[in-house]
Amino acid sequence: MNIKITYKWLLDYLATDASAYELQKYLSLCGPSVETVEKVGDDYVLDIEITSNRVDMASVYGIAQEALAILPQFGKSAKIMLNPLDKYRLNFVTRELGAELPLHVKIENQHLVSRFTTVILDNVTVGPSPEFMKKRLEQCDVRSINNVVDISNYLMLSLGQPTHMFDYDKIGKATMILRESKQGEKITTLDGKEFELPGADIVIEDGDGNLIDLCGIMGGQNSAVTEDTKRVVLFVQTYDKVRIRRTSMTTGQRSMAATYFEKDLDEERVIPTLVYGLELLEHHANARQASPLQDIYPDPSPTKTVTISAAEIRKVMGVELEDDRIAMILENLGFEVKNFAGNYEITVPSWRKNDIALKEDIVEEVARVYGYHNLPNTIQPTVYVKQPKELDLLFHYQLKIKDLLKNVGLHEVMNYSMISKELIDTLGYSDQEHLFLTNTISEEIKYLRRSLLPSFVKIMKENEGRRENLKYFEIAKTYIPRKTGLPAEEFCLAIGVNTSFWDLKGILDLLIDELHIENVTVRNGTNPLFADNMQGEMVTGNKVLGTFGKLKPVYKDRVELTKDIYLAELAFTPFIEKAKLLPTYVPPIAYSVIKLDLTLQQSKNLGYAELEALAYKTSYLLRSVELIDRYNDKLTLRFYFGATDRNITEGDAKMELARINTLLKS
């Protein structure tokens, strides 16, 4: 996932002499990758890529924590000016309450939510956000709506913990029941979309039986804060990440909150976020706390400790790093370190509980902050494990074929391994014969490909008009279902051109020649995707190498192509099994060879391969045949005649050609 933060926002938490561009350089070397820095007005916007197992970094304060450890390694000062995790504790809330508003919370299944906190505020004034908040959110690509909603988003970007605000007066009977959804239940979310739920999603129901929240994804439209709202429920939770991910995938509703919740958030950050939210609502929405904080947290996560010696860290890193420097790096990352004569007892902070468990994890943290670029570059000796022969051949021929096709003007494409039901239906395939993903993020990539050809039809349609001649190839896997177990994964080579049938045939002939595949014949093909009178099947021995042909006009019209396209698909494994690194040596003919041409009407019953086979059977002097032209269903063949023991005359060759002509015409 990527987040955007601003440099000045970061300075609210971190005092440093590093510029925005220095932050980009040093963080990218040792921590999260800062992809871009863009100057916007008097501030800088940092676009930062966050690795999926480090959701703790996905906030302004999270980046400040990383910078605290990394910047000193490059001689830059770094000090945390404000630690919201320490400041915003429950003892920060020390006010007398007036009339308390009731809120009845019921959790039907505690496995759905690991921590659930709420508080009610009244006297709320909904209006524009303060200028600093609006500016920061918009610079980070978050649309400003009003002060209450903006505070919710501001909290999420500040601390990495999503929050939600309900209009208290829209919650039936002041009751919130957190439960699993039932199959077929419907909810309309804040963006106006209605979803029919598959069941087992986390939802909140009010006392009147209305679903008011699709938890972890988006709140319900029926409980939304509006300009008329006077009392709000602020609540902050951590949910079962698997259920949030499943709901997000099955509904296709990808909210920013969902990208956080599906990565297993730190329960200990819930209270600081809630308390900080109280402060912001009081200062910027005139709100007043109108209920005690409810905090349901029945099963706190145990504290993790890891023991490792400084000697072990130095041995793995290959660097004589001082004990004090090791401890400083870990402490700046939030670890509590106790040093017993070079043996460390390290307490893992709550926000790292999901990715730190082993000694090796500690070594990795020290090494990355110290800088992988500073580690010795001598590769340790390892035992060489020879790859299986079939893998060596696969890689060798993939590279060889790719180089060959690129050198004759084809462009390599990389398509998704999945296609849509619409494409399957359009090209006359059956979706019942394809495996499909139950949790696909898009209907466009749902069904696993049995063939590469549908993707080629799609990509050639998408690129039509960008240039006159299209020539593409792809080497990728297809997935053939089996009755039991995993599908058969078979590599295929696909080629597509919009030039001509003979251009495609020439590319295939070139491949066969360059790979020294012998005794390849072409017979009439039966691929339902191709036109009946313009397709072929390449065979050697009892192995079918592949099919090629012109896309049927009916499919061309369905996908609205303006030009004909010609496609080929080869089964990669049989293809390379017949290939040779070097051609078979054939001694040169010592005697003269006479070549003669013959033009024939193409037979409906005999393809070129059958004509060629008959010609060889008819004449003992025939050495080779090649097709040199085709026009209006007429084939022009070139015959090469010669003997192995003498020079033949042109008359001998003409007699042989006449015999062949008579037989082929009959």
Side-chain angles (χ1 to χ4, degrees):
M1 65 182 289
N2 278 50
I3 64 165
K4 286 186 177 182
I5 68 171
T6 75
Y7 179 66
K8 286 189 175 181
W9 197 349
L10 183 67
L11 297 183
D12 285 355
Y13 300 102
L14 180 75
T16 181
D17 58 352
S19 69
Y21 293 103
E22 286 174 323
L23 273 169
Q24 178 185 31
K25 178 180 178 181
Y26 300 140
L27 288 179
S28 297
L29 275 172
C30 301
S33 174
V34 182
E35 296 185 344
T36 62
V37 175
E38 180 184 1
K39 193 173 190 315
V40 180
D42 61 349
D43 204 348
Y44 296 87
V45 177
L46 288 70
D47 189 344
I48 307 173
E49 181 186 13
I50 306 297
T51 53
S52 59
N53 68 328
R54 289 298 311 276
V55 69
D56 61 284
M57 291 193 296
S59 64
V60 181
Y61 183 66
I63 297 300
Q65 289 176 301
E66 282 289 299
L68 175 67
I70 292 169
L71 292 179
Q73 308 302 315
F74 298 93
K76 291 293 177 181
S77 65
K79 181 181 179 182
I80 294 294
M81 298 296 294
L82 168 65
N83 184 341
L85 306 184
D86 284 340
K87 177 181 179 181
Y88 296 112
R89 293 293 179 181
L90 284 176
N91 57 9
F92 186 78
V93 186
T94 57
R95 57 185 63 78
E96 296 271 335
L97 295 179
E100 295 182 10
L101 295 174
L103 183 65
H104 310 291
V105 176
K106 180 182 178 183
I107 299 175
E108 291 190 350
N109 183 348
Q110 192 62 53
H111 295 296
L112 303 178
V113 54
S114 53
R115 192 167 193 175
F116 187 103
T117 63
T118 65
V119 66
I120 304 169
L121 299 100
D122 64 6
N123 198 44
V124 175
T125 301
V126 179
S129 294
E131 191 58 33
F132 83 92
M133 185 179 293
K134 179 179 179 182
K135 182 178 178 182
R136 285 178 175 179
L137 288 174
E138 290 180 345
Q139 286 175 336
C140 297
D141 293 342
V142 179
R143 183 169 63 93
S144 176
I145 297 174
N146 59 52
N147 54 349
V148 175
V149 175
D150 288 358
I151 285 170
S152 180
N153 290 325
Y154 193 81
L155 288 167
M156 179 167 61
L157 287 178
S158 294
L159 302 184
Q161 170 65 57
T163 67
H164 194 62
M165 309 274 193
F166 284 151
D167 186 322
Y168 173 79
D169 295 304
K170 294 178 181 177
I171 301 175
K173 297 183 175 61
T175 299
M176 296 170 62
I177 303 169
L178 190 141
R179 61 171 176 81
E180 291 183 345
S181 68
K182 301 166 187 173
Q183 184 176 6
E185 283 189 297
K186 294 181 179 180
I187 183 172
T188 301
T189 50
L190 289 170
D191 55 3
K193 296 179 182 176
E194 183 181 72
F195 295 97
E196 183 173 321
L197 302 178
D201 313 280
I202 308 175
V203 295
I204 293 178
E205 177 186 337
D206 70 6
D208 293 330
N210 302 311
L211 295 188
I212 59 173
D213 189 25
L214 184 56
C215 296
I217 311 295
M218 191 175 289
Q221 194 177 59
N222 54 2
S223 60
V225 172
T226 67
E227 60 183 11
D228 298 323
T229 297
K230 299 301 179 187
R231 299 188 289 190
V232 300
V233 176
L234 165 63
F235 73 101
V236 187
Q237 289 80 22
T238 51
Y239 297 109
D240 175 5
K241 64 178 182 179
V242 175
R243 297 205 187 224
I244 299 300
R245 174 74 175 175
R246 175 182 170 273
T247 299
S248 181
M249 292 295 99
T250 54
T251 61
Q253 188 78 330
R254 295 294 297 161
S255 64
M256 193 171 179
T259 63
Y260 281 91
F261 281 121
E262 68 188 16
K263 293 175 175 61
D264 204 1
L265 297 175
D266 173 23
E267 291 88 357
E268 298 303 320
R269 197 163 293 202
V270 166
I271 287 295
T273 304
L274 186 95
V275 175
Y276 186 24
L278 271 172
E279 180 183 77
L280 291 175
L281 286 165
E282 288 177 346
H283 288 175
H284 304 296
N286 302 316
R288 179 179 59 202
Q289 185 178 343
S291 77
L293 274 69
Q294 292 193 57
D295 182 20
I296 303 172
Y297 190 22
D299 190 19
S301 298
T303 302
K304 279 186 182 179
T305 58
V306 179
T307 58
I308 187 172
S309 69
E312 289 176 288
I313 295 174
R314 287 191 281 266
K315 180 180 179 181
V316 175
M317 290 178 60
V319 175
E320 288 301 316
L321 209 57
E322 303 87 351
D323 288 11
D324 289 345
R325 191 168 182 185
I326 292 172
M328 182 191 73
I329 288 173
L330 292 170
E331 286 170 351
N332 284 344
L333 286 170
F335 296 89
E336 182 183 327
V337 181
K338 294 180 181 178
N339 189 349
F340 301 100
N343 293 300
Y344 297 119
E345 183 179 282
I346 300 166
T347 303
V348 180
S350 61
W351 60 87
R352 299 299 302 275
K353 70 179 188 297
N354 295 317
D355 70 301
I356 301 291
L358 307 171
K359 292 180 179 182
E360 290 78 7
D361 298 328
I362 297 296
V363 177
E364 182 181 6
E365 288 300 293
V366 176
R368 74 174 179 87
V369 173
Y370 175 75
Y372 291 130
H373 55 285
N374 292 323
L375 298 181
N377 58 9
T378 303
I379 300 176
Q380 294 183 357
T382 57
V383 178
Y384 174 70
V385 180
K386 185 173 177 59
Q387 290 275 21
K389 182 180 178 182
E390 57 269 21
L391 280 182
D392 282 339
L393 282 174
L394 179 68
F395 292 133
H396 170 80
Y397 280 109
Q398 277 198 27
L399 293 175
K400 185 177 179 68
I401 290 170
K402 286 181 180 183
D403 287 342
L404 175 64
L405 294 176
K406 289 173 185 176
N407 287 333
V408 295
L410 277 75
H411 292 85
E412 183 178 8
V413 298
M414 298 178 68
N415 288 300
Y416 285 115
S417 297
M418 292 81 69
I419 55 178
S420 66
K421 185 178 187 303
E422 181 184 5
L423 186 59
I424 290 172
D425 294 341
T426 298
L427 297 178
Y429 293 97
S430 168
D431 62 303
Q432 299 299 318
E433 297 175 354
H434 290 71
L435 294 169
F436 64 91
L437 305 181
T438 57
N439 62 340
T440 181
I441 60 173
S442 169
E443 291 298 318
E444 289 294 309
I445 48 173
K446 181 172 183 176
Y447 291 85
L448 288 168
R449 293 187 295 183
R450 289 179 59 102
S451 165
L452 306 186
L453 297 181
S455 299
F456 265 71
V457 174
K458 181 174 183 288
I459 202 169
M460 295 190 78
K461 167 59 184 172
E462 290 172 348
N463 286 277
E464 194 174 48
R466 297 178 184 269
R467 59 190 306 169
E468 184 177 352
N469 291 336
L470 303 176
K471 295 186 177 183
Y472 299 130
F473 77 92
E474 180 181 21
I475 299 174
K477 285 183 179 179
T478 56
Y479 301 86
I480 312 301
R482 291 173 170 150
K483 289 184 178 179
T484 59
L486 296 172
E489 299 182 23
E490 300 177 0
F491 275 100
C492 289
L493 164 64
I495 298 172
V497 301
N498 69 347
T499 47
S500 72
F501 180 82
W502 301 109
D503 189 19
L504 176 64
K505 180 63 166 57
I507 293 168
L508 297 174
D509 288 342
L510 178 66
L511 268 178
I512 290 167
D513 290 343
E514 290 293 322
L515 298 178
H516 314 300
I517 302 175
E518 298 176 346
N519 303 319
V520 176
T521 60
V522 177
R523 64 191 185 194
N524 289 333
T526 57
N527 191 320
L529 196 64
F530 299 147
D532 295 337
N533 63 342
M534 196 171 285
Q535 66 166 302
E537 189 173 73
M538 293 188 298
V539 182
T540 176
N542 61 351
K543 293 276 189 181
V544 177
L545 300 182
T547 62
F548 62 97
K550 170 185 168 183
L551 183 68
K552 273 185 179 177
V554 62
Y555 300 138
K556 173 190 170 185
D557 293 341
R558 285 182 185 178
V559 296
E560 299 179 345
L561 282 159
T562 58
K563 291 181 69 173
D564 288 326
I565 62 172
Y566 308 90
L567 307 168
E569 184 171 43
L570 308 176
F572 200 75
T573 301
F575 194 65
I576 63 175
E577 283 176 352
K578 295 294 182 180
K580 295 180 179 179
L581 296 175
L582 296 171
T584 302
Y585 174 72
V586 178
I589 298 175
Y591 300 98
S592 62
V593 174
I594 296 173
K595 58 183 178 181
L596 298 172
D597 293 349
L598 177 64
T599 299
L600 296 166
Q601 184 73 32
Q602 184 175 356
S603 170
K604 293 183 179 180
N605 300 319
L606 295 177
Y608 171 73
E610 289 83 4
L611 292 174
E612 186 181 36
L614 280 174
Y616 278 117
K617 288 181 180 179
T618 305
S619 173
Y620 73 98
L621 294 179
L622 183 61
R623 292 287 165 261
S624 65
V625 185
E626 67 176 306
L627 176 64
I628 62 171
D629 194 18
R630 174 177 178 166
Y631 181 73
N632 287 344
D633 292 332
K634 290 187 177 181
L635 303 177
T636 299
L637 307 177
R638 180 161 290 165
F639 296 86
Y640 295 84
F641 297 99
T644 58
D645 57 351
R646 60 188 173 88
N647 285 320
I648 66 171
T649 66
E650 187 174 345
D652 294 332
K654 287 183 176 179
M655 287 179 60
E656 293 297 306
L657 184 63
R659 291 175 57 206
I660 292 171
N661 187 23
T662 300
L663 181 64
L664 295 183
K665 284 183 176 180
S666 64

